[in-house]
């Protein structure tokens, strides 16, 4: 079973990510297309959790054949092995240990996929420095300051931890784990005190997540060499819950009838999560960079509301509006990586001569968009053009049946 609405949802998420990541100028951006400076949530702050949410939804389908009869404990595994030995010994001369090979193989596939995502993220981070060294005579020492974490790294880690939890915990314990992580993360960031900071001081310098990042990764390997990384280690734990909520949603959808009642239930739960997350935000502020527990619940609510719209219009009513986004959703990781590399090349190359020639990126914006649209609308037009450009690339891949899977 495959729901087109999930591919459309993923396509909306990746298209939105390309849009907000590629303004003509970061000084000319409409407020809804910017991240909240610290506490709070803008539409742009919904995009990354939407992507993690849909990773979880897809995981419920891809892992279903392994989970249905998968042993959750060593005792259960022993019973299954003994049963198979008794029932199949007469007709199966192979060693009984081979009967569990499919399950050991899925661990390898999960680890491989997570590692590829992490490595791709590292390569993107490295490419910025490499282009500076090759094109702009930057010192080789800059390679010692590579940012370790990033968007793809977080997706890889969150996917890996979530998948392992799903394979080894019962549905009840999966939900208990999600609740425990959210409550534990809340307590960790508001109870522990660090040198010079009071408990609950959720500043870039004073939060526990930043302390863990500096301690383990080192400040030179954090985002812009700052006091913490918005895709840091500790804040990846609540991001795992975002994936798990997507997984729970996918599991529920798989057994529902395709009708408006299902869409309505998605919307009801989405509204509840938005309200709960908003109320929780008074105690534990909604903060994308810290990936606070209230942010997890709040953004999951909006993800459920968007999925309800996609599901009802595409699965229930069979409307065809989502095809452009479906095309983008089928090669989302390729799109993220390829667009990131092209943007970096445009930002590291220059057009013109003199001491400070504009980058190719800036030159295109100032010469092709500002003259007819102005600085602000030209910046938006640049971003929209980037989305359309990549859609044409992906449409060509779609027509040829090219789907790059990880």
């Amino acid at each position: 079973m495959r729901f087109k609405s999930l591919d459309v949802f993923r396509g909306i998420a990746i298209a939105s990510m390309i849009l907000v990541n590629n303004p003509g100028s970061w000084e000319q951006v409409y407020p809804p297309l910017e991240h909240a400076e610290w506490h709070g949530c803008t539409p742009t702050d919904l995009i990354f959790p939407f992507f993690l949410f849909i990773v979880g939804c897809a995981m419920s389908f891809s892992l279903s054949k392994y989970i249905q009869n998968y042993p959750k404990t060593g005792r259960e595994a022993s019973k299954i092995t003994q049963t198979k030995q008794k029932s199949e010994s007469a007709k199966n001369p192979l060693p009984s240990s081979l009967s569990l090979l499919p399950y050991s193989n899925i661990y390898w596939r999960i680890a491989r996929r997570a590692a590829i995502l992490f490595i791709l993220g590292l390569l993107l981070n490295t490419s910025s420095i490499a282009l500076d060294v090759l094109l702009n005579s930057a010192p080789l020492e800059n390679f010692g300051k590579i940012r370790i974490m990033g968007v793809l790294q977080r997706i890889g880690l969150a996917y890996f931890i979530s998948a392992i939890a799903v394979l080894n915990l019962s549905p009840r314990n999966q939900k208990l784990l999600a609740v425990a992580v959210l409550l534990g993360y809340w307590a960790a960031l508001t109870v522990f005190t660090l040198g010079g900071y009071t408990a609950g001081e959720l500043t870039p310098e004073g939060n526990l997540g930043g302390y863990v990042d500096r301690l383990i990764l080192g400040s030179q390997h954090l985002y812009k060499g700052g006091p913490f990384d918005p895709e840091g280690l500790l804040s990846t734990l609540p991001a795992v819950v975002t994936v798990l909520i997507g997984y729970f949603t996918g599991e529920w959808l798989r057994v529902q009838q395709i009708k408006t009642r299902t869409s309505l239930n998605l919307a009801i739960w989405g509204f509840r999560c938005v309200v709960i997350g908003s109320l929780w935000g008074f105690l534990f502020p909604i903060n994308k960079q810290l990936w606070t527990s209230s942010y997890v619940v709040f953004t999951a609510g909006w993800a459920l509301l968007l999925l309800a719209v996609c599901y009802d219009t595409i699965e229930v009513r069979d409307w065809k509006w989502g095809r452009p986004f479906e095309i983008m959703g089928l090669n989302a990781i390729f799109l993220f990586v390829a667009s990131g590399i092209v943007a970096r090349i445009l930002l590291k190359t220059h057009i013109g001569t003199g001491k400070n020639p504009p980058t190719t990126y800036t030159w295109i914006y100032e010469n092709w968009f500002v003259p007819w649209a102005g600085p602000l609308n030209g910046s938006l037009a640049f971003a929209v053009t980037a989305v359309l450009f990549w859609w044409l690339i992906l449409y060509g891949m779609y027509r040829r049946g090219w789907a790059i899977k990880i």
Side-chain angles (χ1 to χ4, degrees):
M1 179 187 298
R2 185 183 185 95
F3 290 128
K4 289 185 179 180
S5 55
L6 300 184
D7 289 325
V8 171
F9 185 105
R10 187 186 301 108
I12 292 173
I14 191 63
S16 301
M17 193 174 289
I18 301 303
L19 182 73
V20 301
N21 283 350
N22 293 276
S25 169
W26 287 105
E27 305 299 322
Q28 302 289 338
V29 180
Y30 282 102
L33 300 179
E34 291 186 293
H35 290 290
E37 186 173 346
W38 191 241
H39 294 325
C41 185
T42 72
T44 298
D45 292 316
L46 299 175
I47 296 171
F48 193 9
F50 279 15
F51 205 90
L52 288 177
F53 174 86
I54 205 63
V55 166
C57 283
M59 192 169 69
S60 71
F61 291 86
S62 63
L63 296 183
S64 61
K65 59 182 177 291
Y66 296 96
I67 295 171
Q68 187 175 4
N69 297 309
Y70 189 75
K72 303 295 183 184
T73 66
R75 181 176 296 177
E76 292 176 14
S78 177
K79 288 181 179 179
I80 290 174
T81 302
Q82 291 174 8
T83 301
K84 288 186 176 182
Q85 285 177 334
K86 292 177 181 179
S87 62
E88 298 182 8
S89 58
K91 56 184 177 181
N92 183 11
L94 295 176
S96 60
S97 60
L98 291 182
S99 63
L100 291 180
L101 272 181
Y103 303 119
S104 61
N105 182 56
I106 191 60
Y107 282 109
W108 160 246
R109 290 176 59 187
I110 290 169
R112 173 182 170 274
R113 184 171 298 166
I116 290 174
L117 287 168
F118 199 97
I119 291 170
L120 285 174
L122 277 178
L123 290 175
L124 274 179
N125 293 348
T126 304
S127 67
S128 296
I129 297 176
L131 287 169
D132 252 342
V133 171
L134 292 172
L135 302 175
N136 301 316
S137 302
L140 290 173
E141 289 78 8
N142 287 355
F143 281 108
K145 302 176 182 178
I146 293 174
R147 183 189 177 200
I148 295 176
M149 301 301 288
V151 169
L152 291 179
Q153 293 92 316
R154 167 156 292 181
I155 294 174
L157 290 174
Y159 164 77
F160 178 79
I161 297 171
S162 301
I164 297 301
V166 162
L167 287 175
N168 291 278
L169 297 176
S170 67
R172 177 177 177 272
N173 287 338
Q174 293 165 17
K175 295 176 177 64
L176 289 175
L177 173 66
V179 172
V181 169
L182 293 183
L183 295 178
Y185 188 66
W186 180 22
L189 263 66
T190 56
V191 173
F192 287 109
T193 59
L194 303 174
Y197 299 98
T198 59
E201 185 172 342
L202 302 178
T203 62
E205 298 82 7
N207 73 85
L208 180 63
Y211 175 79
V212 170
D213 290 338
R214 295 191 297 272
L215 181 67
I216 297 178
L217 302 176
S219 296
Q220 72 275 20
H221 296 298
L222 305 184
Y223 179 68
K224 294 184 177 179
F228 90 111
D229 197 303
E231 281 80 45
L233 294 172
L234 189 63
S235 59
T236 296
L237 294 178
V240 169
V241 179
T242 300
V243 177
L244 286 175
I245 293 174
Y247 173 78
F248 301 151
T249 303
E251 285 290 279
W252 180 80
L253 277 179
R254 287 198 308 115
V255 297
Q256 300 303 307
Q257 293 183 337
I258 299 177
K259 56 184 183 178
T260 299
R261 182 63 186 177
T262 301
S263 311
L264 184 60
N265 283 331
L266 284 172
I268 291 172
W269 275 104
F271 178 75
R272 288 172 177 171
C273 288
V274 169
V275 172
I276 293 171
S278 299
L279 294 175
W280 198 349
F282 288 107
L283 300 175
F284 192 25
I286 294 173
N287 187 306
K288 186 260 182 189
Q289 299 190 61
L290 294 176
W291 213 277
T292 54
S293 304
S294 57
Y295 173 77
V296 171
V297 178
F298 180 78
T299 55
W302 283 108
L304 288 168
L305 288 171
L306 176 59
L307 182 58
V309 173
C310 293
Y311 184 88
D312 193 68
T313 56
I314 296 171
E315 309 297 348
V316 178
R317 304 179 190 277
D318 198 29
W319 294 358
K320 306 298 183 183
W321 65 270
R323 178 56 64 87
F325 295 108
E326 181 185 355
I327 289 171
M328 300 190 82
L330 292 173
N331 279 295
I333 297 299
F334 165 81
L335 174 55
F336 182 84
V337 174
S339 64
I341 292 174
V342 169
R344 284 164 171 80
I345 292 173
L346 294 178
L347 287 167
K348 299 302 181 181
T349 55
H350 298 80
I351 292 179
T353 57
K355 287 187 177 181
N356 296 300
T359 65
T360 306
Y361 192 102
T362 299
W363 187 92
I364 293 173
Y365 161 64
E366 292 180 344
N367 288 273
W368 292 1
F369 294 93
V370 172
W372 61 271
L376 184 58
N377 288 326
S379 182
L380 176 60
F382 185 103
V384 171
T385 301
V387 175
L388 294 175
F389 168 81
W390 285 108
W391 185 87
L392 289 173
I393 298 294
L394 292 180
Y395 179 70
M397 296 174 64
Y398 172 78
R399 289 291 300 272
R400 289 165 176 78
W402 297 350
I404 299 177
K405 303 292 184 181
I406 295 178

